[in-house]
Amino acid sequence: MISTAELGSFLVDNLWIYAAILLLLLILYVLAVSHGKTTEAAHEWAAKWRSRGEAELAIGNVEAASSCFARAKEWDAEAQRRSLKHERSIR
């Protein structure tokens, strides 16, 4: 049987290994979550610009609406690019 003092000494001596493993897992988690949020954020920006364009169109400002719809299209393309980039990184 290992005594409590020996077990405690072993854990303290190897604490840096546990800390390194936890740090690596934390980094991987943050990267995975942040990527999902960036793709999701691009979709949200596209929806916001589309909504703004519809509002401009409703008040008769066709030029501003056209600009908003163009921005929405750009954000849709960005979301698609980020999604494809994520799929390639998984493979």
Side-chain angles (χ1 to χ4, degrees):
M1 271 315 279
I2 297 176
S3 70
T4 305
E6 289 174 336
L7 179 61
S9 176
F10 175 78
L11 291 176
V12 169
D13 289 342
N14 295 307
L15 187 62
W16 68 274
I17 294 172
Y18 308 126
I21 291 171
L22 286 175
L23 183 62
L24 180 63
L25 290 174
L26 177 66
I27 291 170
L28 291 174
Y29 175 76
V30 167
L31 288 174
V33 169
S34 68
H35 176 77
K37 287 185 178 178
T38 58
T39 302
E40 184 178 316
H43 284 295
E44 289 173 4
W45 275 106
K48 287 178 186 178
W49 279 109
R50 201 170 293 107
S51 174
R52 182 180 244 169
E54 290 169 357
E56 291 291 340
L57 198 57
I59 61 172
N61 194 349
V62 177
E63 193 172 317
S66 176
S67 175
C68 291
F69 288 132
R71 287 250 177 129
K73 189 174 181 179
E74 290 171 9
W75 277 107
D76 281 331
E78 177 65 16
Q80 180 69 21
R81 185 189 69 77
R82 290 177 183 183
S83 179
L84 290 174
K85 184 178 176 182
H86 177 64
E87 286 177 16
R88 278 186 249 135
S89 70
I90 291 175
R91 292 183 208 163

